[in-house]
Amino acid sequence: MNFKKFALLILTMVVISGFNAKPVSASANDDVIATQEDNAVSIDTADGGKDSEDVTTDGDNTAVATPAPSNSKPAKTPAPKSTPKARVAAKETAKPAAKSTPKKSYSKGDLRLMASIINCEAGAEGFQGKLAVGIVVMNRVASKDFPNTVKKVIYEKGQFSPVRNGMLSKKLKQYDAGKTKSSQWKSCISAAKKVLSGQRTIVYKGKTKSLKGYHFFSVVLPGARIKLGGHRFK
């Protein structure tokens, strides 16, 4: 074989081997990188990947998502703030209700007698004088030195002149007949209700004065401590 034939044979073999070789892709390295990236895909959330999930592939390239552990704690609901008004209202609510002073009860018969004796003794005098007469009657009821009821005190022998001269009897008839529309009668009934309910003070010379311990009144009374209208009291 000469040189020319040998060279032609070599050239023919090279050409034939070139047709049988598989073309090499210029992006082969890219495919390898893409395959590696597909094996670990990170899904980032809108807040910068804090709640991301890791995606891996199993043997048949099926994606399996593994939830990322959450570090966030459940939000605590803040307690409502107490305003100054709410605290004041709470304190007021917590305070025990004030005890009301019970009024002393009295019978219709006591009111009838008290209003009538006041009208007899101080009907023409001011309201404080009317109160003073009624207070003396009630002080006697409370004292051990006198009878213990309004009726017994008023009808005690020798104590009230209107009982002896018949004036009290006339006033009682007016009361029973309902002839109590005059301002004098209304004032006497009002004073009687107050003293029967427990009032023991009057306004004397512009000041509140207690008449506890006062058991007597008269036009002329030795040792009198105060004077109201036509009567002196002690």
Side-chain angles (χ1 to χ4, degrees):
M1 183 181 294
N2 58 24
F3 179 77
K4 287 183 179 181
K5 288 182 178 180
F6 181 79
L8 181 60
L9 179 60
I10 295 299
L11 179 62
T12 302
M13 292 176 66
V14 170
V15 172
I16 291 173
S17 62
F19 279 110
N20 293 330
K22 292 182 180 180
V24 178
S25 173
S27 62
N29 292 334
D30 294 339
D31 292 340
V32 174
I33 295 172
T35 302
Q36 293 175 348
E37 290 177 349
D38 289 340
N39 288 335
V41 179
S42 176
I43 302 173
D44 295 336
T45 60
D47 59 352
K50 292 181 179 179
D51 296 323
S52 64
E53 292 182 350
D54 292 337
V55 180
T56 59
T57 58
D58 56 12
D60 58 356
N61 293 330
T62 304
V64 179
T66 303
S70 175
N71 294 326
S72 61
K73 295 181 179 180
K76 293 182 179 180
T77 304
K81 295 183 178 179
S82 177
T83 61
K85 289 184 178 180
R87 289 193 294 268
V88 172
K91 288 182 179 179
E92 290 179 352
T93 304
K95 291 181 179 179
K99 294 182 179 179
S100 58
T101 303
K103 292 184 178 180
K104 293 182 179 181
S105 60
Y106 53 87
S107 66
K108 292 181 179 180
D110 286 346
L111 177 60
R112 171 178 174 268
L113 282 170
M114 182 66 76
S116 297
I117 195 64
I118 289 174
N119 202 347
C120 291
E121 297 284 1
E125 297 182 5
F127 189 71
Q128 302 305 313
K130 293 180 174 67
L131 285 174
V133 169
I135 290 171
V136 167
V137 174
M138 295 307 297
N139 286 345
R140 287 191 176 193
V141 172
S143 173
K144 295 180 180 180
D145 298 329
F146 297 90
N148 59 2
T149 67
V150 172
K151 183 175 182 179
K152 289 180 179 180
V153 165
I154 291 175
Y155 283 99
E156 187 178 10
K157 187 177 181 180
Q159 296 301 311
F160 291 90
S161 59
V163 175
R164 298 191 302 271
N165 62 27
M167 184 181 293
L168 178 60
S169 180
K170 291 179 180 179
K171 293 297 181 183
L172 288 173
K173 288 179 180 179
Q174 290 179 7
Y175 188 96
D176 293 340
K179 298 179 180 179
T180 57
K181 306 301 181 183
S182 65
S183 58
Q184 180 172 315
W185 260 114
K186 289 180 179 179
S187 181
C188 292
I189 293 172
S190 177
K193 288 180 178 179
K194 287 183 179 296
V195 297
L196 288 170
S197 297
Q199 182 167 333
R200 299 294 182 266
T201 61
I202 63 170
V203 177
Y204 182 69
K205 295 183 178 180
K207 296 181 180 180
T208 300
K209 183 175 179 60
S210 173
L211 293 189
K212 285 185 178 181
Y214 284 65
H215 296 99
F216 303 93
F217 67 88
S218 181
V219 176
V220 179
L221 184 63
R225 288 181 277 179
I226 64 171
K227 180 182 178 181
L228 284 171
H231 291 96
R232 289 171 171 79
F233 294 82
K234 73 173 183 179

